[in-house]
């Protein structure tokens, strides 16, 4: 019989998140499922490098540490654990959990399920020969151009194989590259008996997964209005209370820090967002249909989401070897810190043979211009000079660049020092990210639970339910004071008018901006243009700026193409994931009708 309500607790937003989160979520109150998200494009590259060095490695070992704290309690209380911590080696992760269960004396009560099929590395040549070009989604180049350098290739799977593992009796499910949203959607499908083509309900599960996949980012962490968060200590990780019709509530355990509001949830919704049609292997969720309602303290109701059939193809994350890089850092102090820093950088590059000697170089001044252009004209009292280089020749990096950084401490400007824990810069491997698409039929999925192993079929989209009536997003709200009313004007930073959050996908950064009122949203639609954002990020965004309106969230989302120095592990810039870009946009001063500020906190 389907459940009436389930509670899904997130206890990790990335590999390296708070190691106490699982225990706090289990001890903090009733939960039915514990879900953890460990994987990102950069993380997959790191795990692949680990497996190359040690065949039994390649999974998130932090997962085993967290599970040790809670496994016995979860078994006793019937709490199931789901995580994509398997990385590029989920079978080794399964073995580690089974060994742990034995050590805890509960081996006979722990049934570990593993999802396989996402790893297509060993099949690449056959797939390419069969007509799967795996072309780069950003450049159009076929993977054959980089085939010799490929290190790993993993398909983003959806919730279906996780559901099968639960049906087979697994109480711990470990996956490889299952989507961040899939680990939250799967319990809903399993408990409520949703059909694989019930697009509306599935879309609610996708949105629930997106909200909680980054842990405390939806409960007060990384929040624009951080001063309003009652406590940033002991931040409460998020809970989803889900019901059979798809409606769910986002909350957190009582007595924990943080907050859960419409604004905190809205910020997480626009994080790493593209177009409002959010693509997932299970369905398309229309983010321009989401309804958020404050339903009590630290409790937000989420409903009304429209779902559509998923894309025909699945996304593939390929990592490939792309040479080497190194970073050198020196600290320069005032007076004249900026002039000194510029001179030091000039001397390092001159002594290394010039920037043109290398494939790519980057010079940034931390505390001045490392994450974005300076916000003031005031010179800082100290600057960290960061010099970065990338090249196919490791020896050139080590013997031309690496040997010339530290000597500047004795042979350049006064007031300079080297970091105590930094020696001579050394070349390290660069792993590039290659996004591609593949036919679903080319990706067989398999589930292993205990000694049982079964294949899982993909949904036949040709016979699945069709999309419903064409969805029409909300019209922009009325604009009683859109900034052109002819009244008195004021100059304010955009943070007075808006909230924002930014993230990354490859070499593209997104900046989602949320209005603090309907009137401000009207001003945003009129004035916060792609050209405005492009000009604000001059020198940072080297591609086009794409804008999407999301009226139901009072939001506008911008995609800044070619803005992350190649992104991930390829980049030489300090912020290769665009985490700081939203704050830089909010610091921009704009002149607006004073009436826009009425009624906002």
């Amino acid at each position: 019989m389907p459940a009436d309500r389930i509670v899904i607790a997130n206890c990790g937003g990335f590999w390296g998140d708070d190691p106490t989160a699982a225990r706090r979520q289990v001890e903090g109150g009733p939960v039915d499922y514990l879900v953890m998200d460990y994987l990102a494009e950069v993380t997959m590259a790191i795990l692949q490098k680990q497996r190359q060095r040690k065949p039994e490695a390649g999974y998130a070992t932090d997962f085993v540490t967290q599970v040790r704290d809670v496994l016995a309690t979860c078994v006793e209380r019937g709490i199931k654990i789901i995580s994509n911590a398997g990385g590029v080696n989920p079978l080794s992760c399964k073995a580690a959990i089974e060994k742990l269960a034995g050590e805890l004396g509960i081996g006979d009560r722990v049934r570990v399920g593993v999802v396989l099929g996402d790893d297509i590395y060993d099949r690449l040549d056959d797939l390419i020969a069969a007509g799967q070009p795996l072309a780069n989604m950003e450049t159009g180049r076929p993977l054959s151009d980089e085939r010799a350098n490929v290190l790993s290739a993993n398909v983003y799977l959806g919730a279906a194989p996780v559901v099968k593992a639960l049906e087979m009796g697994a109480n711990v499910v470990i996956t490889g590259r299952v989507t961040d949203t899939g680990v939250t959607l799967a319990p809903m499908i399993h408990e409520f008996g949703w059909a694989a083509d019930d697009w509306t309900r599935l879309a609610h599960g996708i949105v629930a997964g997106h909200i909680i996949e980054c842990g405390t980012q939806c409960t007060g962490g990384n929040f624009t209005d951080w001063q309003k968060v009652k406590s940033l200590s002991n931040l409460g990780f998020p809970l989803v209370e889900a019901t059979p019709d798809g409606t769910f509530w986002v909350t957190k355990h009582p007595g924990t820090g943080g907050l859960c509001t419409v604004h905190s949830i809205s910020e997480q919704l626009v994080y790493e967002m593209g177009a409002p049609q959010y693509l997932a292997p299970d369905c398309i969720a229309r983010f321009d249909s989401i309804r958020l309602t404050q339903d009590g303290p630290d409790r937000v109701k989420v409903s009304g989401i429209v779902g559509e059939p998923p894309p025909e193809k699945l996304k593939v994350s390929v990592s490939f070897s792309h040479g080497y890089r190194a970073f050198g850092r020196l600290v320069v102090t005032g007076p004249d810190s900026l002039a000194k820093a510029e001179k030091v950088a000039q001397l390092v590059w001159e002594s290394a043979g010039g920037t043109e000697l290398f494939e790519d170089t980057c010079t940034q001044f931390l505390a001045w211009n490392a994450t974005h252009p300076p916000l003031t004209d005031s010179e800082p009292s100290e600057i960290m000079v960061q010099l970065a280089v990338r090249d196919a020749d490791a020896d050139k990096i080590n013997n031309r660049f690496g040997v010339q950084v530290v000597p500047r401490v004795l042979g350049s400007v006064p007031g300079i020092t080297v970091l105590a824990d930094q020696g001579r810069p050394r070349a390290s491997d660069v792993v590039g990210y290659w996004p591609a698409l593949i036919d679903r039929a080319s990706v067989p999925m398999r589930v292993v639970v205990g000694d049982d192993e079964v294949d899982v079929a993909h949904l036949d989209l040709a016979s699945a339910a069709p999309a419903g009536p064409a969805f029409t997003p909300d019209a922009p709200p009325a604009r009683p004071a859109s900034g052109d009313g002819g009244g008195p004007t004021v100059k304010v930073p955009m943070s007075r008018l808006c909230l924002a959050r930014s993230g990354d996908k490859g070499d593209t950064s997104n900046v989602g901006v949320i209005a603090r009122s309907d009137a401000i949203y009207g001003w945003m639609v009129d004035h916060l243009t792609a050209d405005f954002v492009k000009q604000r990020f001059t020198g940072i965004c080297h591609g086009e700026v794409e804008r999407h309106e999301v009226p139901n969230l009072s939001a506008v989302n911008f995609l800044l193409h070619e803005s992350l120095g190649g992104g991930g592990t390829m980049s030489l810039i300090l912020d290769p994931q665009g985490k700081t870009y939203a704050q830089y946009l909010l610091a921009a001063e704009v002149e607006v009708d004073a009436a826009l500020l009425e009624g906002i906190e």
Side-chain angles (χ1 to χ4, degrees):
M1 182 176 178
D4 294 329
R5 180 180 297 245
I6 59 172
V7 178
I8 304 169
N10 169 281
C11 62
F14 67 100
W15 185 26
D17 207 345
D18 187 342
T20 69
R23 175 176 50 78
R24 292 197 286 122
Q25 286 290 67
V26 169
E27 295 176 355
V31 300
D32 300 298
Y33 286 85
L34 198 62
V35 299
M36 313 177 198
D37 174 33
Y38 281 91
L39 301 185
E41 289 83 0
V42 173
T43 312
M44 296 298 285
I46 294 170
L47 292 172
Q48 178 57 37
K49 290 169 71 173
Q50 290 183 350
R51 187 173 70 172
Q52 286 180 320
R53 294 191 295 266
K54 189 177 180 182
E56 62 270 29
Y59 63 89
T61 53
D62 289 11
F63 174 66
V64 181
T65 302
Q66 285 218 53
V67 170
R68 179 180 292 276
D69 291 341
V70 299
L71 186 57
T73 303
C74 287
V75 169
E76 186 66 30
R77 289 170 46 188
I79 301 170
K80 297 180 176 67
I81 300 171
I82 305 174
S83 177
N84 57 16
V88 298
N89 203 346
L91 288 173
S92 282
C93 189
K94 174 179 183 287
I97 294 298
E98 289 174 338
K99 179 182 178 183
L100 170 63
E103 293 172 354
L104 296 175
I106 53 175
D108 59 334
R109 302 177 65 188
V110 175
R111 191 165 165 82
V112 183
V114 169
V115 173
L116 303 173
D118 64 292
D119 192 342
I120 60 171
Y121 176 75
D122 291 334
R123 302 174 52 222
L124 281 178
D125 292 331
D126 292 339
L127 288 167
I128 293 172
Q132 300 289 328
L134 298 175
N136 190 301
M137 294 171 64
E138 296 174 350
T139 67
R141 292 173 57 209
L143 185 61
S144 55
D145 287 358
E146 290 282 356
R147 177 64 187 91
N149 299 318
V150 171
L151 300 173
S152 68
N154 296 81
V155 180
Y156 289 77
L157 302 180
V162 181
V163 175
K164 175 57 71 175
L166 293 171
E167 290 174 354
M168 293 170 65
N171 53 4
V172 178
V173 181
I174 298 167
T175 78
R177 185 61 281 193
V178 163
T179 59
D180 305 345
T181 57
V183 297
T184 297
L185 171 61
M188 299 184 191
I189 297 174
H190 176 64
E191 295 286 348
F192 301 141
W194 291 348
D197 58 357
D198 189 340
W199 312 128
T200 294
R201 288 180 171 84
L202 296 179
H204 282 76
I206 293 294
V207 171
H210 179 74
I211 290 173
I212 69 171
E213 70 186 29
C214 293
T216 56
Q217 274 202 160
C218 68
T219 52
N222 199 14
F223 186 43
T224 298
D225 289 342
W226 61 273
Q227 302 97 328
K228 297 179 181 178
V229 180
K230 56 188 176 185
S231 173
L232 286 168
S233 300
N234 189 33
L235 275 180
F237 275 73
L239 307 172
V240 161
E241 297 180 11
T243 58
D245 70 351
T247 301
F248 64 92
W249 288 258
V250 184
T251 184
K252 61 187 184 68
H253 282 315
T256 57
L259 85 175
C260 189
T261 66
V262 166
H263 276 165
S264 73
I265 301 302
S266 296
E267 277 201 19
Q268 176 57 23
L269 283 170
V270 299
Y271 176 68
E272 293 185 345
M273 179 182 171
Q277 295 91 338
Y278 186 91
L279 308 183
D282 305 285
C283 76
I284 294 173
R286 298 291 308 229
F287 275 37
D288 45 6
S289 66
I290 300 170
R291 303 295 176 192
L292 302 179
T293 308
Q294 195 71 42
D295 198 25
D298 292 322
R299 187 176 179 82
V300 175
K301 179 181 179 182
V302 187
S303 61
I305 306 163
V306 173
E308 298 172 348
E312 292 184 3
K313 294 180 181 291
L314 298 175
K315 186 177 178 182
V316 186
S317 174
V318 179
S319 68
F320 63 101
S321 177
H322 193 72
Y324 306 88
R325 67 177 179 177
F327 295 84
R329 299 180 180 94
L330 297 166
V331 175
V332 177
T333 64
D336 301 322
S337 59
L338 187 57
K340 290 177 181 177
E342 291 171 341
K343 175 56 70 174
V344 168
Q346 175 192 338
L347 292 171
V348 170
W349 292 124
E350 283 181 355
S351 60
T355 57
E356 66 280 358
L357 180 66
F358 304 96
E359 177 185 325
D360 193 15
T361 63
C362 182
T363 300
Q364 294 182 296
F365 300 141
L366 282 67
W368 181 249
N369 69 356
T371 56
H372 48 65
L375 293 175
T376 72
D377 294 329
S378 300
E379 185 173 58
S381 63
E382 59 191 16
I383 292 175
M384 182 180 292
V385 180
Q386 175 165 290
L387 307 164
V389 61
R390 186 174 65 232
D391 200 88
D393 187 342
D395 288 339
K396 186 199 302 182
I397 291 176
N398 291 332
N399 299 327
R400 299 298 297 270
F401 169 76
V403 298
Q404 293 296 343
V405 176
V406 178
R408 302 286 76 75
V409 174
L410 300 184
S412 64
V413 300
I416 183 173
T417 188
V418 65
L419 301 178
D421 60 349
Q422 178 185 289
R424 178 179 293 174
R426 300 286 298 177
S428 62
D429 294 334
V430 170
V431 178
Y433 168 60
W434 183 287
L437 297 174
I438 191 171
D439 291 335
R440 289 172 179 260
S442 299
V443 187
M445 300 183 294
R446 180 161 293 186
V447 172
V448 178
V449 179
D451 296 326
D452 301 325
E453 187 169 338
V454 299
D455 293 327
V456 180
H458 291 280
L459 176 67
D460 181 2
L461 294 180
S463 61
F471 175 71
T472 303
D474 289 351
R479 307 176 193 181
S482 65
D484 299 316
T489 62
V490 291
K491 182 173 285 189
V492 294
M494 274 184 49
S495 57
R496 289 284 305 279
L497 307 172
C498 314
L499 306 94
R501 183 168 295 174
S502 51
D504 70 301
K505 284 297 177 186
D507 198 21
T508 295
S509 175
N510 97 290
V511 183
V513 187
I514 303 160
R516 296 184 183 275
S517 71
D518 286 349
I520 292 171
Y521 182 71
W523 173 86
M524 283 170 50
V525 169
D526 288 344
H527 298 281
L528 194 57
T529 64
D531 287 342
F532 178 95
V533 173
K534 175 71 173 178
Q535 183 174 4
R536 178 67 174 170
F537 287 89
T538 297
I540 294 176
C541 178
H542 302 289
E544 297 298 317
V545 173
E546 183 181 339
R547 187 180 95 150
H548 297 280
E549 297 177 17
V550 195
N552 57 304
L553 299 179
S554 296
V556 176
N557 188 47
F558 296 93
L559 299 177
L560 283 60
H561 299 288
E562 299 177 43
S563 63
L564 297 173
T569 58
M570 289 181 61
S571 182
L572 300 181
I573 65 176
L574 185 69
D575 182 15
Q577 295 178 298
K579 303 293 187 184
T580 62
Y581 289 6
Q583 291 295 295
Y584 180 60
L585 181 60
L586 290 179
E589 288 198 334
V590 292
E591 188 167 355
V592 299
D593 191 318
L596 278 182
L597 301 179
E598 295 177 1
I600 64 171
E601 296 181 12

